[in-house]
Amino acid sequence: MNENQPNTLPPEYFDQVYQANRDPWGFESSPYEREKYAATLAALPREHYPEAFEIGCSLGVLTAQLARRCGQLLAVDVSEAALAQARQRCARLPHVTVQRMQVPEELTDQQFDLILVSEVGYYWSAADLALAADLLLARLRPGGQLLLVHWTPPVHDYPLTGDDVHEYFLARAGEAGDLRHLAGQQHETYRLDLLEKRA
C-alpha cells in the first residue's frame, strides 16, 4: 500500500489526465492493451451473461468487445471526457448503457451476472476497496462472476497496487464466505483473477 497516497483518487485527477491526452493509456492503439483485452474476454467461461457491469470503462474499447457477450451491459466511469468517447464508440449498441458513476460512493441497486473490475481497483483507498467489495458482492447474483484485471507494478500516484486489490478479494474467497476463486493468471505486468459467488 502506498503510504504517501492513502486516499482514493478523485474524479478531477482523471479529468486532468484526459484533458492532457484523449487516450492516455493507449487503449485504442497499444498491443499490450489488445493482448490484455483478448485475455480478459478469453477468461470468461460463459458465452453469454444476461446482465453485466463494467467499472472504469474509460473510452469504451473493452466495453464494445465485452458487449458481444452480454444481454445488457452497464459501463461506468468517473471521467466525462472518457465517457464521451465511450458513448460514441457504443452508440450503435442499444443494449449498452454508458453512465457516469463514482464507485463506491455511487452505485446502482441492480443485480448482475458478471462484474468486471479492470484497471480501477488500485485507484481506491484501502477503506474504499473494502467498501466496494462489500457493495459489489451484494450486487452479484448467486452463481454470478467477478473478473479482476489489473496492472501490477507500483505506480507512485496510486493508493494501492493491482496485487493489493487481487489479494484482498482472494483473502475473502479463502475465508468461509460466499465467494470462490475459479481461475487466475499472472502475466509479466498484469494479473487476472476470476471469482464466483456461491449459489
Side-chain angles (χ1 to χ4, degrees):
M1 182 175 161
N2 184 348
E3 297 299 335
N4 297 321
Q5 175 51 272
N7 299 317
T8 293
L9 295 182
E12 297 78 34
Y13 174 93
F14 300 97
D15 290 337
Q16 290 168 6
V17 168
Y18 285 106
Q19 284 165 9
N21 183 342
R22 67 175 296 278
D23 185 8
W25 289 282
F27 294 135
E28 296 175 326
S29 57
S30 160
Y32 162 79
E33 291 295 341
R34 274 198 299 276
E35 186 276 329
K36 189 183 66 180
Y37 291 157
T40 298
L41 295 168
L44 295 172
R46 299 175 191 162
E47 277 303 307
H48 182 77
Y49 293 86
E51 293 183 88
F53 184 29
E54 180 190 6
I55 301 169
C57 66
S58 187
L59 312 183
V61 179
L62 179 58
T63 310
Q65 298 174 49
L66 180 62
R68 300 171 195 149
R69 307 272 294 273
C70 304
Q72 296 289 326
L73 173 58
L74 173 60
V76 305
D77 203 279
V78 297
S79 170
E80 281 295 350
L83 290 170
Q85 295 185 61
R87 288 189 185 102
Q88 189 173 10
R89 180 169 277 108
C90 298
R92 296 185 182 181
L93 302 171
H95 64 298
V96 177
T97 301
V98 177
Q99 186 177 329
R100 188 192 179 283
M101 188 180 294
Q102 186 175 353
V103 179
E105 291 88 343
E106 304 164 327
L107 201 56
T108 176
D109 289 329
Q110 193 176 341
Q111 294 281 298
F112 297 98
D113 306 286
L114 171 67
I115 297 177
L116 174 62
V117 182
S118 177
E119 307 294 6
V120 69
Y122 41 56
Y123 298 133
W124 291 324
S125 66
D128 276 348
L129 172 63
L131 177 59
D134 286 341
L135 295 174
L136 293 176
L137 294 178
R139 284 153 180 80
L140 195 61
R141 290 194 174 103
Q145 294 177 343
L146 171 69
L147 182 60
L148 308 168
V149 188
H150 289 87
W151 172 265
T152 49
V155 179
H156 76 276
D157 281 354
Y158 300 173
L160 301 173
T161 67
D163 284 325
D164 291 334
V165 175
H166 287 238
E167 294 305 324
Y168 180 82
F169 278 96
L170 291 177
R172 290 186 65 139
E175 298 164 2
D178 57 358
L179 198 61
R180 64 190 184 108
H181 187 222
L182 295 184
Q185 299 175 22
Q186 291 272 2
H187 296 260
E188 185 179 352
T189 54
Y190 75 94
R191 66 184 291 182
L192 185 155
D193 282 288
L194 180 69
L195 301 108
E196 185 174 272
K197 190 170 182 178
R198 297 181 192 276

